[in-house]
Amino acid sequence: MQLPFPIAGEPDEFAREAGRKLFAGEKEFLKGVVAMSGLPPDDRIEVCFAGRSNVGKSSLINALTGRKGIARASNTPGRTQEINFFTLADSHYLVDLPGYGYANAPLAVVEKWQKLLKQYLSGRQSLRRAFVLIDARHGVKKVDEEILTLLDKSAVTFQCVLTKADKVKAEEREKVLAQVRGRLSAHPAAFPEIVVTSSEKGDGIETLRAIVATLV
Ligand SMILES: Nc1nc2c(ncn2[C@@H]2O[C@H](COP(=O)(O)OP(=O)(O)O)[C@@H](O)[C@H]2O)c(=O)[nH]1
Ligand SMILES: [Mg+2]
């Protein structure tokens, strides 16, 4: 019996090559945006990386682009406070979103981020897929559910990406996968495949590149 939300398998040769070529192209940090009015024109394929603070969004963008430091990764949660746009070839935007669920920032600041995050996720026409990052040690948390529900309401297809897979043993990972599958099945906008990654070890990076490169 086919499990719901299977783990995305190895890409076929065509998709692997498309991913390799796309991510070998020019890539630059374009700008950090703090208001919807600052968004670049929605004239190309756009994917974003959402998730709780410290889940590994910036590290994943660094691993995908093979450019350590293009997205400032840090072990200081709440570091990324803007919507950061990266150009990839002339055809794609990679978007690093401010994290949510970070308790230590002043309430007014958190509310400002959350408002911008929700406006972006529900109002960006060129957004082809939202990758929602979930820590492979923790599974889906309440704060993630809020974003998943927002993506359902905005009819933005989202795909679950497990991060830091190098930090969990196989049996723990299966437990977390079961929890994640249970939660995703309640969300109509959930893409029916999960990607398991480690930015540290490179697991799943080629698969994710192929997924981005084959989005139309
Ligand atoms: N072991 C391990 N650590 C990771 C991985 N991805 C990110 N980290 C660490 O987790 C912390 C937060 O990463 P960051 O990319 O800044 O998270 P963000 O807040 O979601 O952008 C940093 O210390 C990273 O080095 C991974 O795949 N494996
Ligand atoms: Mg970050």
Side-chain angles (χ1 to χ4, degrees):
M1 189 204 58
Q2 170 76 0
L3 263 180
F5 300 98
I7 293 175
E10 289 296 305
D12 63 32
E13 205 33 52
F14 167 79
R16 184 196 309 273
E17 186 51 18
R20 193 193 60 70
K21 265 214 195 108
L22 174 63
F23 282 87
E26 277 296 303
K27 49 232 158 198
E28 289 306 326
F29 171 68
L30 177 69
K31 64 193 293 193
V33 170
V34 293
M36 291 294 277
S37 55
L39 293 176
D42 54 1
D43 59 1
R44 61 197 78 185
I45 290 174
E46 193 161 315
V47 297
C48 69
F49 298 85
R52 293 169 58 224
S53 289
N54 217 45
V55 73
K57 296 175 291 300
S58 304
S59 303
L60 190 59
I61 289 175
N62 291 339
L64 283 168
T65 57
R67 288 263 305 271
K68 277 224 161 319
I70 192 171
R72 274 176 298 165
S74 88
N75 46 21
T76 322
R79 180 88 172 77
T80 313
Q81 292 182 357
E82 296 167 333
I83 297 183
N84 288 321
F85 279 79
F86 301 87
T87 57
L88 178 58
D90 293 336
S91 55
H92 291 68
Y93 282 135
L94 301 180
V95 181
D96 187 4
L97 293 173
Y100 46 75
Y102 173 52
N104 292 358
L107 192 59
V109 174
V110 171
E111 280 169 357
K112 187 165 158 278
W113 294 342
Q114 303 309 303
K115 190 161 160 265
L116 177 62
L117 186 62
K118 291 183 176 160
Q119 286 174 325
Y120 169 79
L121 287 174
S122 53
R124 185 70 169 167
Q125 296 310 318
S126 49
L127 183 58
R128 282 293 184 291
R129 187 155 301 168
F131 293 107
V132 176
L133 279 54
I134 303 287
D135 191 314
R137 295 167 297 177
H138 307 307
V140 174
K141 299 269 183 184
K142 189 168 164 303
V143 69
D144 298 306
E145 286 285 0
E146 269 175 54
I147 294 292
L148 302 185
T149 305
L150 173 80
L151 291 163
D152 285 337
K153 285 202 192 106
S154 318
V156 173
T157 302
F158 70 84
Q159 185 160 17
C160 175
V161 174
L162 285 193
T163 62
K164 308 190 185 183
D166 58 285
K167 289 202 165 191
V168 278
K169 297 200 188 65
E171 70 267 13
E172 272 171 56
R173 194 183 84 165
E174 286 315 311
K175 271 196 231 125
V176 170
L177 272 169
Q179 187 259 10
V180 172
R181 287 181 174 125
R183 293 296 188 89
L184 292 180
S185 52
H187 293 282
F191 187 82
E193 278 187 350
I194 296 172
V195 186
V196 175
T197 68
S198 162
S199 300
E200 193 104 344
K201 299 271 186 287
D203 308 352
I205 299 303
E206 217 176 34
T207 300
L208 210 40
R209 285 182 182 144
I211 291 170
V212 174
T214 49
L215 287 172
V216 290

